[in-house]
Amino acid sequence: MQDLRFMTNNNIPLTIKETQEGLKAKKFLAVELVDAYLERIKKFNPEYNIFLTITEEEAYKKARELDKVGLYDKPLSGVTASYKDIFLTKNIRTTAASKILDNYIPAYSATSVKKIEDAGAIPLGKLNCDAFAHGASGENSDYGSTKNPWNKEFVPGGSSSGSAAALAAGMSLVSLGSDTGGSTRQPANFCNLVGLKPTRGVISRYGVIAMSSSIDTVGTFTHTVDDMEIMFDVLKGEDGFDGIVKNFEKPQIKEEFKLGIAKEFFKEGLDREVEEMIEGVRKTFESINIEIVDISLPHTKYAVPIYYIIQPAEVSSNLGRFDGIRYGNNRDRFGSEAKRRIMLGSYVLSSGYYDAYFDKAQRVRTKLIEDFNLAFEKVDAILSPVSPTPPFKLGENTNDPLKMYLEDVYTASINLVGVPSLALPTMFSEGGLPIGFQLIGPNFSEHNLFELGRRYHQEINYKPKIAL
Amino acid sequence: MKYTPIIGLEVHIEPNTKSKMFCGCSQDHFGKKPNTNTCPICLGLPGALPYANKEAIKKTILLGLALGSEISKSSRFYRKHYFYPDLPKSYQTSQKENPFCIGGELLGKKINHIHLEEDAGKLIHADDGSLIDFNRSGCALIELVTEPVFHSIDEVLKFLKELQLIARYLDISSCDMEKGTMRLEANVSLGTRQQVPGNGLPDYKVELKNINSFRFLEKAIEVEIRRQELELSKGREPIQETRGYDEAKKTTFSQRSKEEAHDYRYFPEADLPPVVIDRSIILDLRSKMVELPQQKRERFEEQYKISKEFIEILVSDKKRADYFEEVAKLDSNYKTIADLIVNKRFDQKYPEPAGLAREIYNLSHMQYATDTETAEIISKVIAGNTDIVTKYNNGQTQVLGFLIGQVQKLLKGTGNPKLISRLLIEKLENDQK
Ligand SMILES: [Zn+2]
């Protein structure tokens, strides 16, 4: 048997296929996989602050069940999974990385957690993030910042900081995050991973602590596009608990693709290296006979302002339930970012201001949707940066909330519109940190985005790797 | 100066759906052990999402159709925010723009709209603090809001009783005030003659809340009108506020003033998709529409020709009206049937309509004296009342009643009235010849 106890960068399985082939061939047992992952978690977590709760007992229990049957025939059999701490897990502490929920033990599990575990996954624990998913760097966690495994002086991105870092550190094979304004795609890029923001209304949000109800989506992290497709197929579809979710019919996969590039995305503020990376990606796509078309998305310049009206408005509503009567702790435990959003949100909804802010923002949002609809009449997908810069240093943006908000400039419009976007890893910056891009498609085009991503990764001979 | 009351109503009706508004818990919460009828959704736990109850939506639309409301083609839910311990999400999922039913009319009184929302839990105050029972939290609640078009307590009560009856006929709700499945609020202000009707409203209104019977509402409005009259007579305009009714003191008391009024921060509930109501749904509901109380009153009058009092009593309880009609199918003595049901409560004695029909048959057939017996008695009566017979022969036919009475008396009430009068007239006419 393969000795997994001292699994290193070289022999830890980085794909679902590799994991399941090893299990089926009895190269290793599921419990040995758990041994190996837990060993890595215990070794690196104190330094990188990725897991908030480790579910050792549950992991071994599930692994033993899998080994007892010995078939490993479900889509995620033997796949180690961990969840952003805004996903409720029955009887397992769920904090949303906020001290207000410091000792909250949920009475039920999120649909996506259930679906993943029903598909055979082994749960390893709960992951750090910006408190209530408010942030773009992980630094708003009440439990301390998560460090980027590729360079611990840098942020792993946010708000799903731990979900990305866990994979980059080889502590979990797949993870769940959320994407309300880029919270999956940006950390995926910052940690050299594949990240998906699905079409709104495809994956149930039931049991995910809400941030902005008209914008929230369940995000997923994997090392490869193939794995992302497996995860997506497990997670999608109605559960009878999220009224906006409709069942999903897999579309016909296209043979030929047209890719749009929006001129509005290449203006000041875009880092030179990111711009050059996009140029390189464009050439690669052209080299595999994918036509590049110039498009225009004129209203995207309003995306961040309207995002920071609608999102805090919904945040102020969703956080109201933490009223000090329930959940054990008083409201003084809210962090400053939550307080900022509650005040901003209450203001834009208050009578006399609703029309000028919230309602106007909703009307601009309609314009934004029209922009994208028009673009998708011309192209099958849009190539775009995710973050305007490569990963930044811890502490670099923390004193300037507005600067942090600008991290969402290429991502927020996608959430406001509701369409899916696949973030893909491609290369490392001069400073040795991962950078990547996103492919945005029309509603329900996830499988076509996977196809495009696969073709790109094949062409550059992409091989997943971990930092530690 | 003479003032006219200007009253608008807000009526909450708890529909008798199987489940709550947005979750699978039972809508029937009455008398259950506290906090046993709950789930993550109606407890407002983090991550829980609402899932709209189609049955509740249909019942709301049905009520709108019965009252002639316009049904919105696309309707949606809104979040209405306020903090209260029994409101676990800190907002109530309700409606604002495009509620399910807009406009409508009942007894000539205009309805503003009918919307659907969820109920809150209940606070139970104990010595050592307050407890919260969430059994009612998230229950479906239909709210009907009228225009301020009532000018007397009588109009208000008539309207509310008819609304209650309609909701029961449509099987929307038990509308039981005691169980709280019907709850009333009234907005009361006093206007001068010039302000009524439609010449602008007074610039204040007093909301009377938490009233749980028609009788209390009647009293509350009455004392509130007197209170406002007194204020106005002293040259003070009553302030806009919410007041409750104290039955012991027979007064209303201030609960919340305008300055303390909530800013509800309404905005569309993104967790629920807009509800599109297409024609097929409306056609389906229309096809299931039952005969409404007013239609039944008119038909009973036409078909059975029984008194208005009987009709009113029968129609006020659909089960009794149905029972009456079942018996009426078996026997055409409609007045007797109505009388036995209304005055003798025979519907309770004979739960099966056929039972009452048999009883009526027995009453009308078994006890009658035979033709021969009747003829014999008639001869006796004619012989013993020659002076009366003479009056009859002289054209005073009204004495017939007296003679019939005498016959019936001697028959000890077993005579068939139709038979007596036929035989009596025959004999009188024949004797004359
Ligand atoms: Zn419930």
Side-chain angles (χ1 to χ4, degrees), chain A residues 88 104 108 200 205-208 213-214 240-243 317-318 320-321 326-327 346 349-351 354, chain B residues 40-41 44-49 51 79 81 83 85 88 90-91 134 263 265-268 270-271 273:
Chain A
L88 297 201
Y104 178 55
Y108 73 107
R200 176 173 151 81
R205 301 160 302 145
Y206 189 69
V208 185
S213 306
S214 74
F241 285 101
D242 184 344
S317 171
N318 287 325
R321 75 193 65 206
R326 286 156 272 252
Y327 310 107
S346 303
L349 288 174
S350 55
S351 73
Y354 180 87
Chain B
I41 298 162
L45 296 185
L49 297 169
Y51 206 86
R79 293 185 183 182
H81 299 83
F83 285 103
S90 83
Y91 58 84
F134 288 103
D263 180 351
R265 292 179 287 124
Y266 277 101
F267 75 91
D271 285 334

Tab-separated table of all heavy atoms in Angstrom, chain A residues 88 104 108 200 205-208 213-214 240-243 317-318 320-321 326-327 346 349-351 354, chain B residues 40-41 44-49 51 79 81 83 85 88 90-91 134 263 265-268 270-271 273:
chain	number	residue	atom	x	y	z
A	88	LEU	N	-24.224	25.855	7.237
A	88	LEU	CA	-24.641	25.215	8.475
A	88	LEU	C	-24.336	23.721	8.407
A	88	LEU	O	-24.548	23.080	7.383
A	88	LEU	CB	-26.141	25.408	8.720
A	88	LEU	CG	-26.694	26.810	8.915
A	88	LEU	CD1	-28.026	26.739	9.630
A	88	LEU	CD2	-25.761	27.724	9.672
A	104	TYR	N	-22.362	28.872	18.217
A	104	TYR	CA	-23.630	28.456	17.615
A	104	TYR	C	-23.525	27.042	17.031
A	104	TYR	O	-22.680	26.775	16.183
A	104	TYR	CB	-24.061	29.449	16.535
A	104	TYR	CG	-25.338	29.050	15.845
A	104	TYR	CD1	-26.500	28.810	16.578
A	104	TYR	CD2	-25.392	28.891	14.466
A	104	TYR	CE1	-27.672	28.424	15.955
A	104	TYR	CE2	-26.565	28.520	13.831
A	104	TYR	CZ	-27.698	28.282	14.587
A	104	TYR	OH	-28.859	27.903	13.964
A	108	TYR	N	-29.552	22.009	11.814
A	108	TYR	CA	-29.710	21.348	10.511
A	108	TYR	C	-28.514	21.667	9.620
A	108	TYR	O	-27.739	22.572	9.921
A	108	TYR	CB	-31.023	21.786	9.846
A	108	TYR	CG	-31.019	23.205	9.292
A	108	TYR	CD1	-30.964	23.429	7.918
A	108	TYR	CD2	-31.068	24.303	10.145
A	108	TYR	CE1	-30.969	24.716	7.406
A	108	TYR	CE2	-31.071	25.591	9.641
A	108	TYR	CZ	-31.022	25.790	8.269
A	108	TYR	OH	-31.012	27.066	7.763
A	200	ARG	N	-27.437	32.111	-10.826
A	200	ARG	CA	-28.330	32.265	-9.662
A	200	ARG	C	-29.572	31.399	-9.870
A	200	ARG	O	-30.200	31.434	-10.924
A	200	ARG	CB	-28.742	33.732	-9.526
A	200	ARG	CG	-29.742	33.970	-8.416
A	200	ARG	CD	-29.977	35.450	-8.213
A	200	ARG	NE	-31.314	35.697	-7.717
A	200	ARG	CZ	-31.675	35.577	-6.446
A	200	ARG	NH1	-30.795	35.224	-5.544
A	200	ARG	NH2	-32.919	35.811	-6.071
A	205	ARG	N	-29.421	27.568	-1.861
A	205	ARG	CA	-28.712	28.325	-0.821
A	205	ARG	C	-29.205	27.949	0.563
A	205	ARG	O	-28.821	28.568	1.546
A	205	ARG	CB	-28.922	29.836	-1.037
A	205	ARG	CG	-28.444	30.372	-2.374
A	205	ARG	CD	-29.125	31.711	-2.672
A	205	ARG	NE	-30.580	31.536	-2.682
A	205	ARG	CZ	-31.445	32.442	-2.254
A	205	ARG	NH1	-31.028	33.598	-1.786
A	205	ARG	NH2	-32.747	32.194	-2.283
A	206	TYR	N	-30.087	26.953	0.637
A	206	TYR	CA	-30.671	26.603	1.933
A	206	TYR	C	-29.582	26.175	2.920
A	206	TYR	O	-28.774	25.303	2.629
A	206	TYR	CB	-31.688	25.479	1.756
A	206	TYR	CG	-32.495	25.194	3.010
A	206	TYR	CD1	-33.429	26.109	3.481
A	206	TYR	CD2	-32.314	24.020	3.729
A	206	TYR	CE1	-34.169	25.861	4.618
A	206	TYR	CE2	-33.050	23.753	4.877
A	206	TYR	CZ	-33.978	24.684	5.310
A	206	TYR	OH	-34.701	24.434	6.452
A	207	GLY	N	-29.573	26.823	4.065
A	207	GLY	CA	-28.585	26.488	5.088
A	207	GLY	C	-27.269	27.233	4.946
A	207	GLY	O	-26.321	26.936	5.665
A	208	VAL	N	-27.199	28.186	4.029
A	208	VAL	CA	-26.018	29.034	3.925
A	208	VAL	C	-26.398	30.379	4.553
A	208	VAL	O	-27.391	30.987	4.149
A	208	VAL	CB	-25.602	29.265	2.457
A	208	VAL	CG1	-24.300	30.051	2.400
A	208	VAL	CG2	-25.467	27.935	1.730
A	213	SER	N	-29.440	38.519	-0.322
A	213	SER	CA	-30.312	37.461	-0.836
A	213	SER	C	-30.551	37.500	-2.343
A	213	SER	O	-30.792	36.474	-2.953
A	213	SER	CB	-31.646	37.502	-0.106
A	213	SER	OG	-31.419	37.450	1.286
A	214	SER	N	-30.470	38.670	-2.952
A	214	SER	CA	-30.732	38.708	-4.395
A	214	SER	C	-29.459	38.439	-5.196
A	214	SER	O	-29.491	38.406	-6.415
A	214	SER	CB	-31.346	40.053	-4.799
A	214	SER	OG	-30.379	41.076	-4.782
A	240	GLY	N	-36.461	21.765	-2.868
A	240	GLY	CA	-37.728	22.035	-2.182
A	240	GLY	C	-37.598	23.023	-1.037
A	240	GLY	O	-38.540	23.225	-0.285
A	241	PHE	N	-36.436	23.621	-0.893
A	241	PHE	CA	-36.245	24.574	0.204
A	241	PHE	C	-35.790	25.951	-0.267
A	241	PHE	O	-35.837	26.901	0.488
A	241	PHE	CB	-35.229	24.031	1.219
A	241	PHE	CG	-35.776	22.942	2.082
A	241	PHE	CD1	-35.488	21.614	1.823
A	241	PHE	CD2	-36.622	23.237	3.146
A	241	PHE	CE1	-36.013	20.604	2.619
A	241	PHE	CE2	-37.146	22.244	3.946
A	241	PHE	CZ	-36.838	20.919	3.681
A	242	ASP	N	-35.291	26.034	-1.484
A	242	ASP	CA	-34.894	27.338	-2.028
A	242	ASP	C	-35.817	27.618	-3.204
A	242	ASP	O	-35.701	27.010	-4.266
A	242	ASP	CB	-33.420	27.299	-2.470
A	242	ASP	CG	-32.932	28.661	-2.964
A	242	ASP	OD1	-33.790	29.531	-3.249
A	242	ASP	OD2	-31.711	28.851	-3.074
A	243	GLY	N	-36.749	28.542	-2.994
A	243	GLY	CA	-37.801	28.803	-3.969
A	243	GLY	C	-37.320	29.338	-5.300
A	243	GLY	O	-38.052	29.302	-6.283
A	317	SER	N	-30.863	43.669	6.452
A	317	SER	CA	-32.066	42.887	6.699
A	317	SER	C	-31.716	41.498	7.238
A	317	SER	O	-32.282	41.033	8.220
A	317	SER	CB	-32.848	42.776	5.385
A	317	SER	OG	-33.910	41.875	5.501
A	318	ASN	N	-30.748	40.850	6.588
A	318	ASN	CA	-30.410	39.474	6.970
A	318	ASN	C	-29.738	39.371	8.333
A	318	ASN	O	-29.847	38.352	9.006
A	318	ASN	CB	-29.518	38.832	5.899
A	318	ASN	CG	-30.311	38.491	4.642
A	318	ASN	OD1	-31.478	38.112	4.727
A	318	ASN	ND2	-29.690	38.643	3.487
A	320	GLY	N	-30.424	41.249	10.860
A	320	GLY	CA	-31.346	41.704	11.905
A	320	GLY	C	-31.694	40.620	12.903
A	320	GLY	O	-31.989	40.897	14.060
A	321	ARG	N	-31.670	39.364	12.451
A	321	ARG	CA	-32.073	38.264	13.338
A	321	ARG	C	-31.072	38.060	14.473
A	321	ARG	O	-31.413	37.439	15.470
A	321	ARG	CB	-32.253	36.976	12.532
A	321	ARG	CG	-30.975	36.310	12.100
A	321	ARG	CD	-31.241	35.248	11.052
A	321	ARG	NE	-31.754	35.843	9.826
A	321	ARG	CZ	-32.526	35.210	8.949
A	321	ARG	NH1	-32.906	33.978	9.177
A	321	ARG	NH2	-32.927	35.820	7.851
A	326	ARG	N	-31.388	35.911	20.695
A	326	ARG	CA	-31.056	34.538	20.316
A	326	ARG	C	-29.549	34.391	20.070
A	326	ARG	O	-28.834	35.377	20.016
A	326	ARG	CB	-31.802	34.178	19.026
A	326	ARG	CG	-33.279	33.931	19.254
A	326	ARG	CD	-34.071	34.162	17.992
A	326	ARG	NE	-34.450	35.566	17.928
A	326	ARG	CZ	-35.706	36.007	18.128
A	326	ARG	NH1	-36.669	35.172	18.352
A	326	ARG	NH2	-35.974	37.294	18.086
A	327	TYR	N	-29.081	33.190	19.899
A	327	TYR	CA	-27.717	32.866	19.446
A	327	TYR	C	-26.622	33.211	20.462
A	327	TYR	O	-25.446	33.218	20.137
A	327	TYR	CB	-27.410	33.510	18.087
A	327	TYR	CG	-28.505	33.225	17.098
A	327	TYR	CD1	-29.403	34.220	16.707
A	327	TYR	CD2	-28.705	31.940	16.607
A	327	TYR	CE1	-30.453	33.942	15.846
A	327	TYR	CE2	-29.742	31.656	15.743
A	327	TYR	CZ	-30.613	32.653	15.369
A	327	TYR	OH	-31.644	32.374	14.524
A	346	SER	N	-29.404	50.154	6.166
A	346	SER	CA	-30.615	50.705	6.783
A	346	SER	C	-30.897	52.087	6.202
A	346	SER	O	-32.041	52.471	5.976
A	346	SER	CB	-30.446	50.817	8.299
A	346	SER	OG	-30.141	49.555	8.832
A	349	LEU	N	-32.455	52.058	2.684
A	349	LEU	CA	-33.823	51.523	2.663
A	349	LEU	C	-34.818	52.412	3.391
A	349	LEU	O	-36.025	52.206	3.298
A	349	LEU	CB	-33.858	50.136	3.329
A	349	LEU	CG	-33.225	48.977	2.572
A	349	LEU	CD1	-33.231	47.726	3.441
A	349	LEU	CD2	-33.964	48.702	1.266
A	350	SER	N	-34.309	53.405	4.125
A	350	SER	CA	-35.225	54.163	4.978
A	350	SER	C	-36.124	55.052	4.129
A	350	SER	O	-35.774	55.444	3.022
A	350	SER	CB	-34.449	54.981	5.999
A	350	SER	OG	-33.521	55.803	5.341
A	351	SER	N	-37.289	55.336	4.681
A	351	SER	CA	-38.280	56.072	3.893
A	351	SER	C	-37.723	57.451	3.576
A	351	SER	O	-37.100	58.098	4.396
A	351	SER	CB	-39.610	56.168	4.646
A	351	SER	OG	-39.490	57.075	5.712
A	354	TYR	N	-35.264	55.529	-0.065
A	354	TYR	CA	-35.431	54.286	-0.816
A	354	TYR	C	-35.407	54.533	-2.327
A	354	TYR	O	-34.684	53.870	-3.060
A	354	TYR	CB	-36.754	53.630	-0.405
A	354	TYR	CG	-37.048	52.331	-1.116
A	354	TYR	CD1	-36.561	51.127	-0.625
A	354	TYR	CD2	-37.811	52.309	-2.283
A	354	TYR	CE1	-36.829	49.930	-1.267
A	354	TYR	CE2	-38.083	51.119	-2.937
A	354	TYR	CZ	-37.593	49.934	-2.426
A	354	TYR	OH	-37.861	48.758	-3.075
B	40	PRO	N	-36.623	25.094	11.158
B	40	PRO	CA	-35.650	26.177	10.940
B	40	PRO	C	-36.254	27.394	10.227
B	40	PRO	O	-35.874	28.531	10.507
B	40	PRO	CB	-34.588	25.510	10.071
B	40	PRO	CG	-34.632	24.072	10.457
B	40	PRO	CD	-36.083	23.784	10.738
B	41	ILE	N	-37.216	27.158	9.335
B	41	ILE	CA	-37.746	28.264	8.531
B	41	ILE	C	-38.596	29.207	9.380
B	41	ILE	O	-38.376	30.411	9.400
B	41	ILE	CB	-38.542	27.718	7.324
B	41	ILE	CG1	-37.602	26.904	6.432
B	41	ILE	CG2	-39.190	28.855	6.529
B	41	ILE	CD1	-38.297	25.980	5.463
B	44	GLY	N	-36.833	31.191	11.841
B	44	GLY	CA	-35.946	32.204	11.255
B	44	GLY	C	-34.480	31.909	11.508
B	44	GLY	O	-33.672	32.826	11.653
B	45	LEU	N	-34.106	30.635	11.549
B	45	LEU	CA	-32.706	30.305	11.812
B	45	LEU	C	-31.824	30.790	10.662
B	45	LEU	O	-32.284	30.929	9.534
B	45	LEU	CB	-32.543	28.786	11.989
B	45	LEU	CG	-33.246	28.156	13.188
B	45	LEU	CD1	-32.878	26.675	13.289
B	45	LEU	CD2	-32.865	28.868	14.477
B	46	PRO	N	-30.550	31.034	10.945
B	46	PRO	CA	-29.645	31.442	9.875
B	46	PRO	C	-29.694	30.420	8.735
B	46	PRO	O	-29.796	29.219	8.993
B	46	PRO	CB	-28.265	31.421	10.548
B	46	PRO	CG	-28.527	31.518	12.006
B	46	PRO	CD	-29.863	30.896	12.242
B	47	GLY	N	-29.627	30.906	7.513
B	47	GLY	CA	-29.573	30.011	6.359
B	47	GLY	C	-30.912	29.478	5.888
B	47	GLY	O	-31.020	28.945	4.797
B	48	ALA	N	-31.959	29.615	6.713
B	48	ALA	CA	-33.265	29.086	6.303
B	48	ALA	C	-33.895	30.014	5.271
B	48	ALA	O	-33.671	31.221	5.294
B	48	ALA	CB	-34.170	28.933	7.516
B	49	LEU	N	-34.654	29.445	4.361
B	49	LEU	CA	-35.268	30.221	3.278
B	49	LEU	C	-36.761	29.927	3.218
B	49	LEU	O	-37.188	28.831	3.555
B	49	LEU	CB	-34.639	29.825	1.935
B	49	LEU	CG	-33.148	30.098	1.755
B	49	LEU	CD1	-32.647	29.402	0.484
B	49	LEU	CD2	-32.881	31.587	1.664
B	51	TYR	N	-40.419	29.184	1.390
B	51	TYR	CA	-40.915	28.506	0.192
B	51	TYR	C	-42.430	28.728	0.189
B	51	TYR	O	-43.122	28.281	1.083
B	51	TYR	CB	-40.573	27.013	0.287
B	51	TYR	CG	-40.449	26.324	-1.046
B	51	TYR	CD1	-39.236	26.338	-1.731
B	51	TYR	CD2	-41.536	25.669	-1.623
B	51	TYR	CE1	-39.109	25.710	-2.965
B	51	TYR	CE2	-41.410	25.038	-2.856
B	51	TYR	CZ	-40.192	25.057	-3.515
B	51	TYR	OH	-40.059	24.438	-4.741
B	79	ARG	N	-40.196	42.383	2.298
B	79	ARG	CA	-39.793	42.271	3.696
B	79	ARG	C	-40.200	43.553	4.420
B	79	ARG	O	-39.905	44.648	3.937
B	79	ARG	CB	-38.276	42.101	3.807
B	79	ARG	CG	-37.781	40.783	3.254
B	79	ARG	CD	-36.288	40.652	3.523
B	79	ARG	NE	-35.752	39.425	2.951
B	79	ARG	CZ	-34.487	39.051	3.082
B	79	ARG	NH1	-33.639	39.807	3.767
B	79	ARG	NH2	-34.066	37.924	2.533
B	81	HIS	N	-39.660	45.376	7.936
B	81	HIS	CA	-38.736	45.242	9.069
B	81	HIS	C	-39.217	45.921	10.343
B	81	HIS	O	-39.644	47.074	10.307
B	81	HIS	CB	-37.378	45.855	8.699
B	81	HIS	CG	-36.733	45.182	7.524
B	81	HIS	ND1	-37.048	45.488	6.231
B	81	HIS	CD2	-35.802	44.212	7.465
B	81	HIS	CE1	-36.335	44.735	5.413
B	81	HIS	NE2	-35.573	43.938	6.135
B	83	PHE	N	-38.251	45.338	14.876
B	83	PHE	CA	-37.697	44.454	15.896
B	83	PHE	C	-38.746	44.155	16.949
B	83	PHE	O	-39.350	45.061	17.510
B	83	PHE	CB	-36.478	45.104	16.561
B	83	PHE	CG	-35.258	45.078	15.685
B	83	PHE	CD1	-34.843	46.212	15.003
B	83	PHE	CD2	-34.520	43.905	15.532
B	83	PHE	CE1	-33.725	46.184	14.184
B	83	PHE	CE2	-33.404	43.872	14.724
B	83	PHE	CZ	-33.006	45.008	14.042
B	85	PRO	N	-39.448	40.690	19.891
B	85	PRO	CA	-38.923	39.351	20.233
B	85	PRO	C	-39.638	38.197	19.536
B	85	PRO	O	-39.021	37.163	19.286
B	85	PRO	CB	-39.135	39.275	21.748
B	85	PRO	CG	-39.146	40.689	22.201
B	85	PRO	CD	-39.763	41.481	21.081
B	88	PRO	N	-38.761	36.413	14.586
B	88	PRO	CA	-37.388	35.891	14.665
B	88	PRO	C	-36.446	36.372	13.563
B	88	PRO	O	-35.235	36.367	13.756
B	88	PRO	CB	-37.582	34.376	14.611
B	88	PRO	CG	-38.910	34.160	13.993
B	88	PRO	CD	-39.751	35.345	14.366
B	90	SER	N	-36.487	39.408	12.247
B	90	SER	CA	-36.468	40.873	12.335
B	90	SER	C	-37.199	41.521	11.154
B	90	SER	O	-37.155	42.715	10.981
B	90	SER	CB	-35.055	41.458	12.452
B	90	SER	OG	-34.442	41.575	11.181
B	91	TYR	N	-37.819	40.698	10.358
B	91	TYR	CA	-38.728	41.234	9.339
B	91	TYR	C	-39.849	40.230	9.139
B	91	TYR	O	-39.695	39.032	9.388
B	91	TYR	CB	-38.017	41.515	8.008
B	91	TYR	CG	-37.337	40.332	7.370
B	91	TYR	CD1	-38.046	39.434	6.576
B	91	TYR	CD2	-35.980	40.115	7.540
B	91	TYR	CE1	-37.424	38.356	5.985
B	91	TYR	CE2	-35.349	39.031	6.963
B	91	TYR	CZ	-36.066	38.154	6.191
B	91	TYR	OH	-35.459	37.072	5.613
B	134	PHE	N	-43.216	29.992	19.384
B	134	PHE	CA	-43.143	30.201	17.931
B	134	PHE	C	-44.111	29.314	17.149
B	134	PHE	O	-44.010	29.227	15.933
B	134	PHE	CB	-41.713	29.982	17.441
B	134	PHE	CG	-40.781	31.093	17.843
B	134	PHE	CD1	-39.886	30.924	18.882
B	134	PHE	CD2	-40.813	32.310	17.186
B	134	PHE	CE1	-39.032	31.946	19.265
B	134	PHE	CE2	-39.965	33.345	17.560
B	134	PHE	CZ	-39.076	33.167	18.600
B	263	ASP	N	-40.275	52.772	10.767
B	263	ASP	CA	-39.916	52.879	9.359
B	263	ASP	C	-39.643	51.437	8.949
B	263	ASP	O	-38.636	50.861	9.335
B	263	ASP	CB	-38.661	53.749	9.202
B	263	ASP	CG	-38.267	53.884	7.748
B	263	ASP	OD1	-38.857	53.171	6.904
B	263	ASP	OD2	-37.373	54.693	7.449
B	265	ARG	N	-38.821	49.936	6.308
B	265	ARG	CA	-37.775	49.626	5.336
B	265	ARG	C	-38.170	48.462	4.408
B	265	ARG	O	-37.446	47.489	4.252
B	265	ARG	CB	-36.443	49.339	6.056
B	265	ARG	CG	-35.869	50.582	6.725
B	265	ARG	CD	-34.578	50.303	7.466
B	265	ARG	NE	-34.825	49.554	8.681
B	265	ARG	CZ	-34.267	48.385	8.993
B	265	ARG	NH1	-33.401	47.840	8.162
B	265	ARG	NH2	-34.555	47.778	10.114
B	266	TYR	N	-39.337	48.583	3.827
B	266	TYR	CA	-39.804	47.560	2.880
B	266	TYR	C	-38.842	47.420	1.714
B	266	TYR	O	-38.348	48.411	1.179
B	266	TYR	CB	-41.130	48.004	2.280
B	266	TYR	CG	-42.369	47.731	3.092
B	266	TYR	CD1	-42.961	48.745	3.838
B	266	TYR	CD2	-42.968	46.484	3.067
B	266	TYR	CE1	-44.128	48.502	4.556
B	266	TYR	CE2	-44.135	46.239	3.785
B	266	TYR	CZ	-44.712	47.250	4.522
B	266	TYR	OH	-45.861	47.017	5.215
B	267	PHE	N	-38.583	46.209	1.303
B	267	PHE	CA	-37.971	46.003	-0.020
B	267	PHE	C	-38.317	44.601	-0.512
B	267	PHE	O	-38.701	43.743	0.287
B	267	PHE	CB	-36.466	46.293	-0.012
B	267	PHE	CG	-35.595	45.243	0.634
B	267	PHE	CD1	-35.063	44.202	-0.111
B	267	PHE	CD2	-35.284	45.326	1.978
B	267	PHE	CE1	-34.250	43.245	0.482
B	267	PHE	CE2	-34.473	44.368	2.593
B	267	PHE	CZ	-33.951	43.322	1.828
B	268	PRO	N	-38.212	44.368	-1.826
B	268	PRO	CA	-38.686	43.085	-2.364
B	268	PRO	C	-37.928	41.893	-1.768
B	268	PRO	O	-36.714	41.953	-1.617
B	268	PRO	CB	-38.411	43.196	-3.864
B	268	PRO	CG	-38.293	44.650	-4.139
B	268	PRO	CD	-37.739	45.275	-2.893
B	270	ALA	N	-36.113	38.841	-2.075
B	270	ALA	CA	-35.416	38.186	-3.186
B	270	ALA	C	-35.368	36.671	-3.019
B	270	ALA	O	-35.031	35.956	-3.958
B	270	ALA	CB	-34.003	38.745	-3.304
B	271	ASP	N	-35.684	36.186	-1.835
B	271	ASP	CA	-35.657	34.735	-1.629
B	271	ASP	C	-36.860	34.031	-2.243
B	271	ASP	O	-36.906	32.812	-2.288
B	271	ASP	CB	-35.588	34.405	-0.128
B	271	ASP	CG	-34.197	34.669	0.434
B	271	ASP	OD1	-33.234	34.620	-0.346
B	271	ASP	OD2	-34.083	34.921	1.649
B	273	PRO	N	-39.369	33.975	-5.683
B	273	PRO	CA	-39.574	34.524	-7.032
B	273	PRO	C	-40.945	35.190	-7.114
B	273	PRO	O	-41.841	34.850	-6.338
B	273	PRO	CB	-39.513	33.281	-7.921
B	273	PRO	CG	-39.863	32.137	-7.029
B	273	PRO	CD	-39.444	32.513	-5.639
